[in-house]
Amino acid sequence: MSENIFKISGLTKAFGDNQVLKGIDLEVNQGDVVSIIGSSGSGKSTLLRCINKLEEYDGGTIQYRGEDISNLDLYKYRSKVCMVFQSFNLFNNLNVLKNCVKPQMLVLKRSKQEAEEIAKDYLAKVGMIEYINAKPAQLSGGQKQRVAIARALSMNPDVILFDEPTSALDPEMVGGVLEVMKKLADSGLTMIVVTHEMVFARDVSSKVVFMDKGVVAEEGNPQDIFTNPKNDRTREFLSRMLKEQESQ
């Protein structure tokens, strides 16, 4: 049986009067690729931000490998649980290579030489090695996102969280980023992906979670969720999304 990575129990989060998460329960095991889908405002990104300790949650617990994350050192934890954002979050004043080297040196205390070797290896894997001297402003959105993925991989993470990694990209850029993510899934990396790419969720995930109005309305394997959803809201959402994506 694969090892439990995350156990989330009764997680709640409000912004003022707006209750965004209303008691989320979720388990993620080693090697899982969990796609979280749902309409805007359903709490998907907030859940991811709570997992990464970017947001303080109000109630419930998040355990990482059996330990409550509130007791863990923030920098060590984030080096194991990396996040890839929809807006890339690259350092605009640094070139591609330095973007991937700096976090390794700061957090993992790697030497510059070791960090550069590791960064180049991952930049090659995502097809960005010839751009190591380019600044982010010289790159397309899809290229920036691949650099962001290489930066996360350079930390040798246990888990990568992806928050709508293709939503800021032009349609022609999306395929390249999804292909990189599919290769990562095939390699056995544990991934939690908030996404509106239904084909990715259906074909690459080991588990699909449908969130609706701050709760997990339905979860299961992609085959069951996509071919035989039990919840009316899931059925309605998937029907609308698949229709939209087929017409694009």
Side-chain angles (χ1 to χ4, degrees):
M1 184 162 147
S2 54
E3 193 177 350
N4 182 265
I5 300 279
F6 283 114
K7 184 175 170 58
I8 299 170
S9 308
L11 198 72
T12 59
K13 171 68 183 172
F15 294 101
D17 294 337
N18 183 17
Q19 190 73 35
V20 180
L21 301 178
K22 302 171 184 172
I24 300 288
D25 297 318
L26 182 65
E27 292 203 24
V28 179
N29 292 328
Q30 182 91 42
D32 279 354
V33 177
V34 179
S35 285
I36 302 177
I37 61 172
S39 301
S40 291
S42 57
K44 308 182 301 295
S45 291
T46 301
L47 172 59
L48 224 53
R49 290 173 69 83
C50 287
I51 293 172
N52 197 235
K53 296 179 81 166
L54 284 164
E55 294 286 356
E56 292 286 324
Y57 44 94
D58 302 325
T61 57
I62 301 176
Q63 288 188 331
Y64 167 69
R65 294 191 175 277
E67 293 233 27
D68 194 305
I69 67 166
S70 57
N71 301 329
L72 299 175
D73 176 83
L74 180 65
Y75 292 104
K76 277 188 187 157
Y77 174 68
R78 285 215 188 125
S79 74
K80 289 289 169 203
V81 179
C82 288
M83 188 140 162
V84 172
F85 300 85
Q86 65 184 72
S87 54
F88 327 121
N89 285 28
L90 297 176
F91 302 110
N92 288 322
N93 59 324
L94 300 181
N95 67 23
V96 163
L97 183 61
K98 286 178 180 165
N99 260 284
C100 298
V101 164
K102 191 174 183 180
Q104 296 181 64
M105 291 174 68
L106 282 175
V107 179
L108 303 178
K109 308 298 180 209
R110 285 179 180 152
S111 70
K112 184 166 184 256
Q113 186 186 351
E114 186 191 6
E116 284 188 355
E117 281 171 19
I118 289 166
K120 284 175 180 173
D121 183 39
Y122 285 115
L123 286 164
K125 282 183 176 155
V126 301
M128 289 300 293
I129 192 66
E130 65 265 41
Y131 295 93
I132 59 172
N133 295 312
K135 292 278 184 72
Q138 297 167 293
L139 303 177
S140 71
Q143 289 170 330
K144 286 180 197 171
Q145 197 58 290
R146 281 189 275 167
V147 172
I149 293 170
R151 177 177 62 180
L153 288 169
S154 295
M155 302 298 285
N156 294 116
D158 209 11
V159 184
I160 298 188
L161 312 174
F162 291 88
D163 187 15
E164 295 275 16
T166 58
S167 68
L169 305 183
D170 295 332
E172 64 269 23
M173 304 289 176
V174 170
V177 170
L178 292 179
E179 191 54 41
V180 169
M181 291 171 66
K182 184 177 185 310
K183 283 181 184 158
L184 296 180
D186 291 343
S187 76
L189 180 69
T190 307
M191 297 159 59
I192 306 176
V193 186
V194 168
T195 185
H196 61 280
E197 299 291 343
M198 292 302 116
V199 175
F200 176 88
R202 184 189 66 202
D203 295 350
V204 181
S205 312
S206 51
K207 175 153 77 174
V208 175
V209 174
F210 172 65
M211 285 183 65
D212 185 51
K213 297 176 182 163
V215 300
V216 172
E218 188 165 356
E219 67 175 283
N221 71 54
Q223 183 68 17
D224 292 343
I225 297 284
F226 279 87
T227 57
N228 190 24
K230 294 179 175 60
N231 185 302
D232 288 344
R233 296 280 297 163
T234 317
R235 199 173 300 122
E236 186 188 307
F237 173 79
L238 287 173
S239 161
R240 187 177 79 245
M241 289 299 287
L242 288 164
K243 212 171 279 174
E244 273 176 26
Q245 290 181 11
E246 277 162 13
S247 66
Q248 279 173 4

